[in-house]
Amino acid sequence: MKTIAFLLCILIFQNIFGQDNSLSEREFIDLTHAFSEESVYWVTAKEFQLEKVAQGKTDAGFYYSANNFSTAEHGGTHMDAPIHFAENKQTVDLVPLENLIGTGVKIDVSAKALKNPDYLISIEDLKNWEKENSEIPQQSIILFQTGFGKFYPDAKKYLGTNERGTDAVKKLHFPGLSPEAANWLIKNRNIKAVGLDTASIDYGQSTNFATHVALMTQNVPAFENVANLEKLPATGFQVIALPMKLKGGSGGPLRIIAIR
Amino acid sequence: MKTIAFLLCILIFQNIFGQDNSLSEREFIDLTHAFSEESVYWVTAKEFQLEKVAQGKTDAGFYYSANNFSTAEHGGTHMDAPIHFAENKQTVDLVPLENLIGTGVKIDVSAKALKNPDYLISIEDLKNWEKENSEIPQQSIILFQTGFGKFYPDAKKYLGTNERGTDAVKKLHFPGLSPEAANWLIKNRNIKAVGLDTASIDYGQSTNFATHVALMTQNVPAFENVANLEKLPATGFQVIALPMKLKGGSGGPLRIIAIR
């Protein structure tokens, strides 16, 4: 009886005072590549440029440094907003924060994808993951580890070509999510968002971007060129994906982190 | 005895299964102004520009839209990294996530600042806040509500002038944090970061940027042009402030949110 009462006191105390709403005690994992002139951009897109404006001691005596930069929306670690491939759907500034923050699931397909740069993640891959783990929770953010992240920013290995321009599009070889698997996730698991460690949620050889269209017509955004996925477990983490708030943007630079 | 056992069971169950590590159930408040050609930039800085690259149905049959943009690092809702005003201190990509996520504190000085556009937030303001609330927790992120946020993006009201260029610098009138109060917060409360709803953590009439220097020599970043501070309570929220990860950057576009 005394033991029970003692345990009860501990548990009551823990419930009242121990609720850890603070995020400070959690572990953070940055899933973002830094932007530089080495960042990977789509072969037809304007690349990242930084212009130094000031660096050094001013006449007034204090140190000061500042830069300007220019970039395509879709390069480096970035988000595709639904309007990128779906007319009248959400622009990047209007994607609700609720869709960008939530329970993360990592699906590692690198064993298959590293053997075949044209690999398409299938419904079977999703079902196999569920067999080994548990049913993908409703309203999750799904991150696919193809293994290609380790090649970043070596375009020859990461994209399949280091050529640039419209002629280079046919030479793109990297894995992606099949439209069938995208539709399965939307229909059966009501996902918030998807992401992966390649330059596009459609595989390199896609010509109709059917996975983008499948996701974005349902207002599901995609995170591309995501970093450090090998540092994540399969489950047990939250994702916070905050894109630059570009008014009317079709996407933009993304800072994406995991929190455990 | 039965009642105690029953309560014990409930509490054990709650402790095992009820730990809400999920962020999905929390409330999110976006503290970010969207970037557009209306965004407020320092009077000498390069302003935001968006260039449309594509918008409409492609020959292949799918819809596609994309843009490029260019900007100064320091405009709109953005972060000043320590190196902005302190040589060899952290660049924006290297500010630890631990310093950008944590317990938030809002200090509302709008009653004074809206009467005096040259208002400097004082140590007394901090002590008054602590008297009315509680001691500012160590390692907090401090957000100052000057009330000027409601003028954004009307430069005449928000900055004190809608002129641009070096001659306009002398005409800047908006409140800021005094260097003394900044030093007090660093020394006594070991703060992670500060932010406010004006264009600069130093007030408009500053010529030596002593508050920037005080903060940044101690690797404390500042968030500027923060939005929606009137929507926050004084305490009881977490801040997540994720800047664009610009390699070597002195600051950059920031997506900052509060979570309750």
Side-chain angles (χ1 to χ4, degrees):
Chain A
M1 176 66 192
K2 268 189 192 164
T3 315
I4 289 175
F6 179 69
L7 280 172
L8 189 60
C9 283
I10 287 179
L11 286 168
I12 287 171
F13 189 84
Q14 204 176 331
N15 267 271
I16 294 173
F17 298 103
Q19 288 289 9
D20 184 19
N21 283 321
S22 167
L23 302 176
S24 296
E25 303 306 310
R26 312 269 286 267
E27 180 196 353
F28 307 118
I29 301 158
D30 197 348
L31 306 178
T32 318
H33 293 293
F35 280 85
S36 74
E37 278 152 37
E38 291 191 340
S39 295
V40 174
Y41 277 69
W42 197 250
V43 291
T44 54
K46 176 183 166 55
E47 293 180 278
F48 181 84
Q49 282 185 302
L50 191 83
E51 175 204 354
K52 194 180 289 182
V53 175
Q55 185 183 52
K57 210 161 194 175
T58 60
D59 295 340
F62 56 83
Y63 176 90
Y64 180 75
S65 70
N67 308 289
N68 298 332
F69 68 91
S70 61
T71 177
E73 289 171 331
H74 302 272
T77 303
H78 72 280
M79 183 172 116
D80 285 3
I83 203 171
H84 189 37
F85 275 90
E87 196 167 9
N88 300 322
K89 295 297 177 186
Q90 289 159 357
T91 53
V92 68
D93 52 322
L94 299 181
V95 175
L97 292 172
E98 289 73 13
N99 291 5
L100 301 172
I101 299 172
T103 299
V105 161
K106 185 187 82 170
I107 300 181
D108 181 358
V109 296
S110 60
K112 290 173 174 175
L114 286 171
K115 283 186 206 149
N116 172 13
D118 297 328
Y119 189 72
L120 275 169
I121 300 161
S122 65
I123 295 174
E124 199 191 346
D125 289 325
L126 306 175
K127 291 187 173 169
N128 284 342
W129 187 93
E130 291 197 337
K131 267 182 219 155
E132 283 168 31
N133 295 276
S134 57
E135 188 172 298
I136 294 167
Q138 297 287 310
Q139 291 274 292
S140 302
I141 295 172
I142 316 292
L143 301 178
F144 294 100
Q145 181 183 345
T146 70
F148 271 53
K150 70 179 173 189
F151 301 138
Y152 192 97
D154 178 345
K156 177 83 180 153
K157 289 182 179 170
Y158 187 74
L159 297 176
T161 179
N162 52 16
E163 295 174 34
R164 298 195 59 77
T166 48
D167 288 349
V169 172
K170 286 179 192 157
K171 298 179 182 173
L172 293 167
H173 290 279
F174 54 79
L177 179 65
S178 71
E180 296 75 23
N183 278 320
W184 189 91
L185 283 167
I186 294 166
K187 192 177 167 195
N188 299 292
R189 299 295 176 261
N190 193 22
I191 53 167
K192 287 184 172 182
V194 293
L196 84 176
D197 57 352
T198 73
S200 171
I201 193 71
D202 274 286
Y203 77 140
Q205 286 289 295
S206 174
T207 52
N208 62 2
F209 298 93
T211 302
H212 277 89
V213 173
L215 293 165
M216 297 188 181
T217 51
Q218 301 301 314
N219 266 332
V220 176
F223 313 137
E224 296 170 337
N225 299 322
V226 177
N228 296 326
L229 290 177
E230 70 283 359
K231 296 185 181 169
L232 290 180
T235 60
F237 63 94
Q238 299 281 303
V239 173
I240 301 174
L242 298 184
M244 183 176 167
K245 196 173 179 177
L246 291 161
K247 189 171 181 179
S250 75
L254 178 73
R255 192 73 182 263
I256 177 169
I257 67 170
I259 179 167
R260 293 179 75 182
Chain B
M1 177 65 193
K2 269 189 189 160
T3 314
I4 289 175
F6 180 69
L7 279 172
L8 189 59
C9 285
I10 286 179
L11 285 168
I12 288 170
F13 188 84
Q14 203 174 331
N15 266 272
I16 296 173
F17 299 103
Q19 286 289 10
D20 184 19
N21 283 322
S22 166
L23 302 176
S24 298
E25 304 305 311
R26 312 270 286 266
E27 180 196 352
F28 307 118
I29 301 158
D30 196 348
L31 305 178
T32 318
H33 293 293
F35 281 86
S36 75
E37 278 151 39
E38 291 192 340
S39 294
V40 174
Y41 277 68
W42 198 250
V43 291
T44 54
K46 177 181 165 57
E47 294 180 277
F48 180 85
Q49 284 185 301
L50 191 83
E51 175 204 352
K52 194 180 290 183
V53 175
Q55 186 183 52
K57 211 161 193 172
T58 60
D59 295 341
F62 56 84
Y63 176 89
Y64 180 76
S65 69
N67 308 289
N68 297 332
F69 67 93
S70 62
T71 177
E73 288 171 332
H74 302 271
T77 302
H78 72 281
M79 184 172 112
D80 285 2
I83 202 170
H84 189 37
F85 276 89
E87 196 167 9
N88 300 323
K89 296 297 177 186
Q90 289 158 357
T91 54
V92 68
D93 52 322
L94 298 180
V95 175
L97 292 173
E98 289 73 13
N99 291 4
L100 300 172
I101 299 173
T103 299
V105 160
K106 185 188 82 170
I107 300 183
D108 180 359
V109 296
S110 59
K112 291 172 173 175
L114 285 171
K115 282 186 204 147
N116 173 13
D118 297 327
Y119 189 71
L120 275 169
I121 300 162
S122 64
I123 295 175
E124 199 192 344
D125 288 326
L126 306 175
K127 291 186 174 171
N128 284 342
W129 187 92
E130 291 197 337
K131 266 182 220 156
E132 284 169 30
N133 296 275
S134 57
E135 190 172 297
I136 294 167
Q138 297 287 311
Q139 291 273 293
S140 301
I141 295 172
I142 316 292
L143 301 178
F144 294 100
Q145 181 183 345
T146 70
F148 271 53
K150 70 180 173 187
F151 301 137
Y152 193 98
D154 178 344
K156 177 84 180 150
K157 290 182 180 170
Y158 187 74
L159 297 176
T161 179
N162 52 17
E163 295 174 33
R164 299 193 60 76
T166 47
D167 289 348
V169 173
K170 287 179 191 158
K171 298 179 183 172
L172 292 167
H173 289 279
F174 54 80
L177 179 64
S178 72
E180 296 77 23
N183 278 320
W184 189 91
L185 284 168
I186 294 166
K187 192 178 167 194
N188 298 291
R189 299 293 177 263
N190 193 21
I191 54 168
K192 287 184 172 182
V194 294
L196 84 177
D197 57 351
T198 74
S200 172
I201 193 73
D202 273 287
Y203 77 140
Q205 286 289 294
S206 174
T207 53
N208 62 2
F209 298 93
T211 302
H212 278 88
V213 173
L215 294 165
M216 296 186 183
T217 51
Q218 301 301 315
N219 266 334
V220 176
F223 313 137
E224 296 170 337
N225 298 323
V226 177
N228 296 326
L229 290 177
E230 69 284 357
K231 294 185 182 168
L232 290 180
T235 60
F237 63 94
Q238 301 280 304
V239 173
I240 300 174
L242 297 184
M244 183 176 166
K245 195 172 180 178
L246 290 162
K247 188 171 182 179
S250 75
L254 178 73
R255 192 71 182 264
I256 178 169
I257 67 169
I259 178 166
R260 294 181 71 182

